[in-house]
Amino acid sequence: MWSPDSWRQKPALQQPEYSDPAEVERVLSELRTLPPLVTSWEILHLRAQLAEAAAGRQFVLQAGDCAERFVDCTAPRLTNTLKVLLQMSMVLTVGASRPIIRIGRFAGQYAKPRSTDTETRDGVSLPSYRGDNINRPEFSAAARRPDPQLLLRGYERAALTLNFVRALVKGGFADLHHPEYFDLDWVKESPLGGEYHRMVQTIKDSLRFVENVLGVRAGDTDRIDFFTAHEALHLGYESAQTRVVPRRPGAFNLLTHFPWVGLRTNDPNGAHIEYLRGVENPIGIKVGGSCTRDQVARWLDILDPHRSPGRLTFIHRFGARKIGECLPRLIEYAREEGGHLVWICDPMHGNTHATASGVKTRRFEDIYSEVEQAFDIHSAMGQTLGGVHIELTGENVTECIGGSHGVAEEDLARAYESEVDPRLNYEQSMELAFLIARKMKNGTL
Ligand code: PEP
Ligand code: CO
């Protein structure tokens, strides 16, 4: 029998070890009494849109920080995140000629899986940093001690973030619809500059057309939706806001629209899959090269027994050098099980490497190459890539190498902020959106 806590009977990986279980219980009880962050009708609305993406009629842009930080819960940061997501989505609309579903990796992306439980520096070992919901990144025993109170601080910041996002979308954010707000200086460096400017002109013309025909200012409507997503990693936290709502069957995770399970916790026998099985939210599973036929069959049977389009999304992350070998096989497995999945390409997590000096980075060209191959493989197999999953920021960081402005390995030290994975900066994100739009246009128009 499933319940929000039935996962406790299964092995739960990647959970913090708290020193005071009674305090954890007190925090989770408090969390249970607080109002939800999202509603069941928003969740079902997203699920219906994802069903459209499964059928190739919509395209998903899922993007944001690898790990949100509490210190970044500020007006300028959130505005910049929304700006880059909105602008990318407009560029993608031109390329895809279909509606874009915007899903932020935000308002709760505060818990991270780690490959080792401890980190050692100069002979000192401390618990690994697991995201701001769990502990703090500074390398001291006090900062690294998992603190249950942080779950409440994270919940509050998620609420603040979502509140601001909703207000921006409803109100003064409309101006960002205007392409003159696009920062396109980097385009000068790109051999595709002319094409990018033409695309922006197309966006401008379409907006003017809409405004003239409908007599409304684009963006003055409520129709721009942003959904939220995070990795459903800390199961105590996730289950504390999982409940049955009035007049609707089933239980909902009311912390986010779209919870996903990461590669390290996606075992069909594990606690994370047990937890997700009982929620009505659409669910993402991160899948990689080692994924087997049996796992695919089990995920479908456990999470999507009715093969309901929009319920399940595979977010595949192989790496540019492996996707050609791994993706076709995975598509076959899913077909054999009769799945109606959304297929999203995460070109980030299979393309991470460390520089000679030990800095974690990714190459822009690998990222684009993986996306490009994903489009081609899905289409060669008679289906459509349903979206992309990108780690990015609206800030001018130097964490990934490459792109028109050419962030070089030597630049990485200049503005490297991420505590976990390297993100594309504003320009690299926009350039990626243009390249994807261009790819979609050549393929489908
Ligand atoms: C992530 O999305 O930040 C992540 C940890 O991904 P994965 O589970 O695919 O490694
Ligand atoms: Co990441």
Side-chain angles (χ1 to χ4, degrees):
M1 252 294 264
W2 183 88
S3 77
D5 282 303
S6 57
W7 61 268
R8 293 183 191 275
Q9 314 304 320
K10 306 253 179 171
L13 301 180
Q14 299 282 343
Q15 306 303 293
E17 288 191 16
Y18 292 108
S19 55
D20 182 356
E23 193 190 357
V24 180
E25 227 2 86
R26 277 195 301 279
V27 163
L28 295 183
S29 306
E30 181 172 349
L31 203 52
R32 276 184 205 105
T33 64
L34 294 170
L37 300 181
V38 301
T39 61
S40 60
W41 58 91
E42 290 170 340
I43 291 169
L44 293 177
H45 179 50
L46 174 61
R47 189 164 160 171
Q49 290 197 20
L50 287 171
E52 292 294 294
R57 291 190 290 267
Q58 300 207 23
F59 190 79
V60 177
L61 171 63
Q62 182 179 19
D65 290 316
C66 176
E68 283 179 285
R69 303 186 303 181
F70 290 178
V71 290
D72 292 335
C73 186
T74 65
R77 289 270 171 163
L78 295 174
T79 311
N80 281 347
T81 303
L82 226 51
K83 172 178 161 179
V84 68
L85 287 183
L86 184 58
Q87 292 187 352
M88 287 175 83
S89 74
M90 292 173 79
V91 169
L92 291 175
T93 310
V94 176
S97 309
R98 51 198 142 123
I100 306 297
I101 306 169
R102 301 174 196 84
I103 307 178
R105 277 178 71 112
F106 57 42
Q109 178 51 15
Y110 291 127
K112 297 305 299 174
R114 302 317 303 256
S115 27
T116 51
D117 284 341
T118 54
E119 183 182 342
T120 303
R121 289 191 200 174
D122 302 328
V124 180
S125 292
L126 293 175
S128 295
Y129 169 63
R130 291 185 172 274
D132 279 6
N133 256 6
I134 318 300
N135 55 5
R136 287 179 286 118
E138 299 79 43
F139 195 74
S140 72
R144 291 295 176 88
R145 186 184 71 86
D147 177 0
Q149 294 297 331
L150 293 175
L151 295 172
L152 288 166
R153 302 294 84 78
Y155 165 85
E156 289 155 3
R157 276 181 176 67
L160 294 171
T161 300
L162 200 51
N163 179 57
F164 191 51
V165 167
R166 291 190 198 278
L168 285 176
V169 167
K170 217 173 153 70
F173 198 58
D175 278 352
L176 292 179
H177 284 66
H178 286 269
E180 53 271 25
Y181 288 86
F182 281 46
D183 305 332
L184 288 172
D185 283 353
W186 59 273
V187 160
K188 288 192 219 93
E189 324 277 335
S190 167
L192 298 173
E195 244 180 272
Y196 294 163
H197 278 297
R198 275 195 297 283
M199 231 182 260
V200 170
Q201 191 56 44
T202 307
I203 296 171
K204 245 182 189 160
D205 293 346
S206 323
L207 283 174
R208 196 166 308 125
F209 177 77
V210 170
E211 292 180 355
N212 290 343
V213 171
L214 299 180
V216 293
R217 243 172 81 78
D220 278 359
T221 71
D222 256 349
R223 283 192 316 238
I224 307 283
D225 290 317
F226 279 88
F227 296 101
T228 66
H230 66 245
E231 178 170 348
L233 184 67
H234 189 299
L235 292 175
Y237 181 72
E238 301 297 327
S239 57
Q241 276 283 341
T242 297
R243 48 176 103 116
V244 174
V245 298
R247 290 179 296 283
R248 253 189 241 286
F252 289 81
N253 177 330
L254 297 171
L255 290 172
T256 187
H257 301 112
F258 185 44
W260 81 82
V261 60
L263 192 75
R264 293 169 187 78
T265 49
N266 69 13
D267 179 352
N269 299 317
H272 290 79
I273 296 294
E274 169 61 20
Y275 163 71
L276 288 170
R277 151 175 105 86
V279 300
E280 297 297 320
N281 305 57
I283 290 165
I285 306 185
K286 290 284 202 103
V287 289
S290 62
C291 167
T292 65
R293 181 190 303 260
D294 179 60
Q295 277 176 323
V296 173
R298 302 276 318 280
W299 286 325
L300 275 149
D301 285 347
I302 298 170
L303 295 172
D304 186 16
H306 306 298
R307 307 295 192 260
S308 154
R311 162 66 169 172
L312 204 55
T313 296
F314 275 6
I315 305 169
H316 53 73
R317 29 87 84 224
F318 301 112
R321 273 159 281 282
K322 298 215 184 111
I323 184 171
E325 179 201 331
C326 300
L327 179 57
R329 193 167 65 207
L330 190 65
I331 293 174
E332 287 296 344
Y333 296 164
R335 283 199 179 153
E336 282 161 22
E337 300 304 322
H340 292 289
L341 306 174
V342 183
W343 294 86
I344 293 187
C345 172
D346 165 357
M348 313 302 292
H349 290 89
N351 290 311
T352 318
H353 67 278
T355 63
S357 53
V359 184
K360 234 185 182 188
T361 190
R362 294 163 172 154
R363 285 189 204 89
F364 184 88
E365 64 202 46
D366 294 338
I367 293 168
Y368 181 61
S369 163
E370 182 160 358
V371 181
E372 189 174 35
Q373 294 178 66
F375 276 108
D376 291 340
I377 295 168
H378 281 290
S379 118
M381 296 191 65
Q383 59 182 56
T384 322
L385 178 66
V388 288
H389 179 117
I390 312 290
E391 285 185 347
L392 55 72
T393 165
E395 309 300 316
N396 188 17
V397 299
T398 53
E399 298 174 3
C400 292
I401 297 173
S404 290
H405 242 151
V407 175
E409 199 170 312
E410 308 80 80
D411 298 321
L412 291 179
R414 186 155 46 83
Y416 198 105
E417 285 183 355
S418 178
E419 297 293 348
V420 191
D421 291 337
R423 303 158 297 174
L424 297 178
N425 61 25
Y426 172 78
E427 291 177 359
Q428 291 168 327
S429 303
M430 290 308 297
E431 184 169 5
L432 184 66
F434 278 117
L435 284 171
I436 295 174
R438 187 168 184 261
K439 173 77 183 165
M440 286 195 279
K441 247 178 135 148
N442 293 342
T444 57
L445 287 184

